[in-house]
Amino acid sequence: MSLKGKTAVVTGSNSGIGLGVARALAGAGADVVLNSFTDRPEDHALAAALVAEFGVAARYMPADLSKADEARALVEAAARCDILVNNAGIQHVAPVDQFPVERWDAIIAINLSSAFHTTAVALPMMRKAGWGRIVNIASAHGLTASPFKSAYVAAKHGVVGLTKTVALETAEEAITCNAICPGYVLTPLVEAQIPDQMKVHGMERETVIREVMLTRQPSKEFATVEQLGGTTVFLCSDAAAQITGTTISVDGGWTAL
Ligand code: NAD
């Protein structure tokens, strides 16, 4: 599968799943725009590393996706966007009646509204190019709920709804829009929680992963950022040209329960 000549914008891609997806797209030959809200030398170094490893063009472009104008300006500044991966996301856990309003607003803005803004700017570019792929990184929480995650669950269900609507609006064009719904993924953030959980529960690493962290993931294994990258590349391939408006779960069976 070659994505040579395509430009991918991956939001929230200076770590975790976004970086894994950007690496997979670069590995398939796509030029890549990396993004997060910070503007540090190490962010730009991530783009330089993709150039060195894969021989593609890569840039890091800071934009705070909690702000509509910055989300839109990111895609405008990219100038070309054949593949848009809406990945940026944050989490906050609290009961509904104690959920801080500021956290609710931030989660809806970053996890849901930013995908609307980037898509709105990317679609005319895709139409001009006559081809496009939109991949929204939703979550198992886009299809099911957990207590204390009201904003996250609402935003991720919203992303799935946005995905279906955009797919219908582009159905007769060579543009697809799909959502990937990961279960628990082994990102640096999750990895960092394991030693604490081992201490709190007095358990070995493998036991804490199986019994505590992956209680809802029947496979009892984390998904990996490489697997999410591979799923994204598949959705960008010709084999997936008739896959649109759907969700692909990468969750070890979570949503089959
Ligand atoms: P992460 O914290 O490593 O990545 C989140 C990315 O979003 C980072 O690059 C961060 O800098 C960026 N970001 C946060 N706020 C931003 C803002 N205001 N503007 C621009 N960028 C911003 O976490 P991750 O686990 O890689 O999560 C990536 C996506 O995958 C999220 O949408 C998350 O909801 C989703 N997801 C993660 C898991 C998991 O288990 N890790 C499971 C399901 C879904």
Side-chain angles (χ1 to χ4, degrees), residues 91-96 98-100 103 107 146-152:
Q91 174 66 285
H92 186 81
V93 180
V96 172
Q98 292 160 39
F99 211 93
R103 283 294 84 196
I107 289 174
S146 294
F148 315 124
K149 295 184 176 175
S150 55
Y152 188 83

Side-chain angles (χ1 to χ4, degrees), residues 20-38:
V21 166
R23 280 184 56 79
L25 290 169
D31 296 331
V32 176
V33 173
L34 299 174
N35 151 266
S36 182
F37 59 92
T38 49

